[in-house]
């Protein structure tokens, strides 16, 4: 199977790093020439397509990772064929905006943790050939509809907000005199621990949280300060704003 990557920018570079780490043979990948294509082709001995037409002619699965505004024009007029699969990672670009028939298309939303094979990646619809690529980068979570996918895409922004909370907590700790490296590690792994516990224990999430919130304790104290400042309504408003933007852009309302 040849995997073509059309649009070799920031996201594609992280996915490529994860694919290579997973043991994917560089000879089975083909890069489009713009962006980081030339540089990554030279660095990892990955074939470089002469142009997008040649890439689509040779690839069995094509990963589309151009900016959303470029997505439709990037795939239009190329020699798509039966049996081929397009994975679009473009946020807010509806399937109907990707003219790749008779190839099949799906949407996927990898996170940059693909680079360390730790990206939970949602997709719609599930297509086996695409799954074989995406599961190299972390757990794949198939969704039931494109509307669900738009909701789930908000999580790609939440990933950044989580990183911001980690950074701010680690920096605050360092400003208080704690060891910066130790705090960076502690806070980052605390977010990993919080996520893993919720993912791996089937208990209701409010029950898991209730276990943590001792009346009069420090978790409760912090939650009260956050509530006085507008949480969780503020966080929900941020989710709503991102979702509204995504459904406006994709027309999947
Ligand atoms: N960054 C993330 O964390 C992330 C996460 C999930 C999904 N995404 C999605 O991934 C997509 C790419 O994001 P990004 O951050 O990687 O953007 P980016 O760094 O700007 O990369 C986009 C690349 O596409 C190239 N390109 C544009 N039109 C092309 C065409 N017709 N043929 C070949 N290459 C073309 C650009 O080349 P030039 O530089 O020559 O214009 C650029 O190298 C977006 O749709 C975004 O929604 C990103």
């Amino acid at each position: 199977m040849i995997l073509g990557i059309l649009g070799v920018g920031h996201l594609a570079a992280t996915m490529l790093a994860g694919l290579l780490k997973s043991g994917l043979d560089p000879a089975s990948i083909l890069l489009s020439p713009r962006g980081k294509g030339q540089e990554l082709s030279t660095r990892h001995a990955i074939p470089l397509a002469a142009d997008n037409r040649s890439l689509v002619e040779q690839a069995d699965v094509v990963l589309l990772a151009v900016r959303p505004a470029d997505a439709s024009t990037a795939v239009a007029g190329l020699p798509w064929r039966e049996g081929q699969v397009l994975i679009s990672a473009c946020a807010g670009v509806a399937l109907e905006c990707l003219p790749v028939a008779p190839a099949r298309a799906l949407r996927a939303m990898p996170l940059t943790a693909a680079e360390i094979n730790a990206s939970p990646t949602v997709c719609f619809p599930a297509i086996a050939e695409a799954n074989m690529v995406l599961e190299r980068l972390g757990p794949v979570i198939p969704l039931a509809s494109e509307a669900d996918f738009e909701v789930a895409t908000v999580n790609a922004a939440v990933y950044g907000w989580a990183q911001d909370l980690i950074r701010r907590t680690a920096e605050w700790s360092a400003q208080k005199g704690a060891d910066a490296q130790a705090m960076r590690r502690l806070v980052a792994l605390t977010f990993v621990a919080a996520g893993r516990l919720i993912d791996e224990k089937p208990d209701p999430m409010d029950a898991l949280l209730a276990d943590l919130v001792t009346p009069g304790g420090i978790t409760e104290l912090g939650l009260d300060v956050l509530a006085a400042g507008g949480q969780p309504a503020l966080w929900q408003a941020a989710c709503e704003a991102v979702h509204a933007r995504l459904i406006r852009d994709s027309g999947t309302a």
Side-chain angles (χ1 to χ4, degrees):
M1 192 212 45
I2 299 292
L3 171 67
I5 302 185
L6 202 172
V8 189
H10 183 68
L11 176 72
T14 67
M15 293 179 73
L16 188 61
L19 290 169
L20 294 173
K21 264 195 201 129
S22 77
L24 189 65
D25 181 1
S28 69
I29 306 172
L30 190 58
L31 300 178
S32 63
R34 279 172 58 174
K36 299 176 193 279
Q38 177 80 62
E39 175 203 333
L40 292 173
S41 161
T42 307
R43 192 185 314 157
H44 300 292
I46 299 171
L48 189 71
D51 53 28
N52 293 346
R53 167 167 287 275
S54 156
L55 181 137
V56 169
E57 276 166 359
Q58 296 176 67
D60 303 294
V61 175
V62 175
L63 168 69
L64 180 68
V66 300
R67 286 180 289 270
D70 298 326
S72 297
T73 46
V75 298
L78 296 176
W80 300 101
R81 61 179 187 277
E82 195 92 38
Q84 221 171 12
V85 173
L86 175 80
I87 305 172
S88 169
C90 304
V93 178
L95 288 170
E96 65 177 17
C97 298
L98 299 169
V100 298
R104 288 169 297 163
L106 72 149
R107 295 176 65 182
M109 193 46 55
L111 306 179
T112 55
E115 185 174 349
I116 54 165
N117 310 93
S119 166
T121 302
V122 285
C123 69
F124 174 79
I127 297 180
E129 293 90 329
N131 218 51
M132 285 165 61
V133 174
L134 297 173
E135 69 189 7
R136 287 175 171 274
L137 305 174
V140 177
I141 303 174
L143 297 174
S145 71
E146 198 161 15
D148 284 3
F149 185 88
E150 236 62 75
V151 174
T153 301
V154 173
N155 188 65
V158 172
Y159 171 65
W161 306 343
Q163 290 205 7
D164 189 49
L165 286 178
I166 292 169
R167 177 178 66 97
R168 286 177 192 282
T169 310
E171 285 177 0
W172 174 87
S173 307
Q175 278 159 15
K176 290 286 178 191
D179 179 82
Q181 279 308 316
M183 292 314 300
R184 173 182 169 139
R185 182 145 198 259
L186 174 66
V187 181
L189 292 180
T190 298
F191 272 66
V192 173
R196 277 196 58 191
L197 196 74
I198 288 180
D199 182 42
E200 293 176 26
K201 271 189 93 168
D203 311 38
M205 287 188 284
D206 55 355
L208 288 172
L209 186 61
D211 286 347
L212 299 178
V213 186
T214 311
I218 58 171
T219 306
E220 185 184 68
L221 173 65
L223 285 173
D224 286 348
V225 172
L226 290 169
Q231 292 290 29
L234 207 53
W235 190 274
Q236 282 164 358
C239 291
E240 289 288 352
V242 174
H243 185 236
R245 162 88 66 85
L246 288 166
I247 55 176
R248 185 200 69 193
D249 290 352
S250 70
T252 53

